[in-house]
């Protein structure tokens, strides 16, 4: 992947099952930003789910969201390109 994270953000890829995995994104100051889950890309279709870490309405959650959401959108687009997906269901 050609996707580059900011220097203060790290990503860990974990297998969920034989057909799906997740990326967990962490920020040096804000902690765990959220996770992006990818379910099997079969017949050109993928399901990508992104979740921001924290409680809705809390200031820390909103700060995490401001960093996480643009990264999640970019990573989802990169995943679609590298898997040659024609269609993705993106939730989150």
């Amino acid at each position: 992947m050609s996707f580059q994270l900011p220097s203060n953000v790290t990503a860990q890829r974990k297998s969920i099952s034989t057909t799906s995995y997740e990326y967990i994104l962490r920020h040096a100051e804000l902690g765990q930003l959220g996770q992006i889950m990818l379910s099997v890309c079969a017949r050109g279709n993928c399901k990508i789910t992104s979740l921001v870490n924290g409680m809705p309405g809390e200031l820390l959650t909103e700060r995490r969201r401001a960093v996480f959401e643009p990264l999640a959108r970019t990573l989802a687009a990169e995943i679609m390109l590298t898997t040659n997906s024609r269609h993705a269901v993106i939730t989150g």
Side-chain angles (χ1 to χ4, degrees):
M1 259 190 237
S2 62
F3 179 73
Q4 291 291 319
L5 291 171
S7 61
N8 57 354
V9 176
T10 59
Q12 177 186 13
R13 181 179 162 173
K14 292 175 67 176
S15 179
I16 297 173
S17 70
T18 58
T19 60
S20 60
Y21 57 92
E22 70 179 341
Y23 288 96
I24 300 170
L25 278 66
R26 294 184 186 277
H27 188 274
E29 296 171 15
L30 302 175
Q32 184 171 322
L33 296 173
Q35 52 199 117
I36 301 166
M37 291 160 282
L38 174 67
S39 296
V40 132
C41 295
R43 294 184 218 128
N45 297 312
C46 288
K47 180 178 180 185
I48 301 170
T49 304
S50 64
L51 302 170
V52 175
N53 192 48
M55 300 297 291
E58 288 185 355
L59 179 59
L60 181 57
T61 303
E62 296 310 312
R63 290 179 61 205
R64 287 175 175 152
R65 181 183 314 282
V67 175
F68 177 74
E69 285 185 347
L71 294 174
R73 282 192 298 272
T74 302
L75 186 56
E78 185 72 22
I79 289 168
M80 288 181 61
L81 284 174
T82 59
T83 58
N84 295 319
S85 295
R86 294 183 307 271
H87 178 74
V89 176
I90 302 173
T91 60

